[in-house]
Amino acid sequence: QCWGLGGGTASALGEGEGVALKPCATSGSHLHCTTVPVPVAGLTGSLRITAGNGHTCALLHDESVSCWGLNSHGQLGNNSNKNTKAPAPVGSLTGVKMLEAGLYGTCALTTGGQIKCWGWTGIGEIWSNSSQHRLAPVTIEGTDNARGVSTGWTYACALLPKGDVRCWGARSNGIPSMSSSPERHGPTVHKAEE
């Protein structure tokens, strides 16, 4: 169940069609919200949920992923930019054991140790040497046999087998893990101390 701001065509609450939310008392009449948890339409068997800025994703018992909400940058991973108020599968992504959402993108760690990400590339957040938004999951090179993944607002990091950490995305707020350039697309390795 989810609560907070929602409504419109891009509700991260996942309430589905036909559910009326009331205008928020403090945010003006154009926003709708609920302080009472609402069921996420059609979603059962969730192991974990993660929320970005206007989108939410769930890791399901069958190791697949479904996402809903804002999709302006492909952050739902459904090969489109269409917003949805109800969960929709992330393409053919299967075998997922970990899931993390960032600002307008999401990363998944598969049971095979691959990291796959989708969504915004506007400032290098996701996760390749491209400025194109990724509407479907792409494998992040240099993160083979990863043991973990974590996303920040505009960057992501992978925990590698020997304890090394590989990060990519935008350098901001003094985060030391990025290169000295203001934007960093490709992963940078940080060796574990021995």
Side-chain angles (χ1 to χ4, degrees), residues 50-106:
T50 184
N53 185 28
H55 79 287
T56 307
C57 295
L59 173 57
L60 306 178
H61 280 290
D62 66 359
E63 298 178 339
S64 68
V65 175
S66 287
C67 297
W68 59 95
L70 183 67
N71 198 26
S72 57
H73 297 86
Q75 57 266 48
L76 302 185
N78 61 6
N79 216 17
S80 80
N81 286 108
K82 185 178 178 186
N83 300 331
T84 178
K85 291 176 73 171
V90 175
S92 59
L93 184 63
T94 59
V96 175
K97 67 179 186 177
M98 190 174 187
L99 189 63
E100 291 284 329
L103 179 63
Y104 294 122
T106 307

Side-chain angles (χ1 to χ4, degrees), residues 131-167:
S131 61
Q132 299 297 308
H133 302 313
R134 299 300 182 164
L135 304 180
V138 295
T139 301
I140 305 305
E141 293 182 23
T143 60
D144 297 338
N145 302 310
R147 296 188 330 205
V149 63
S150 183
T151 58
W153 201 242
T154 59
Y155 63 93
C157 295
L159 177 61
L160 301 177
K162 294 181 179 177
D164 296 342
V165 175
R166 184 165 275 203
C167 297

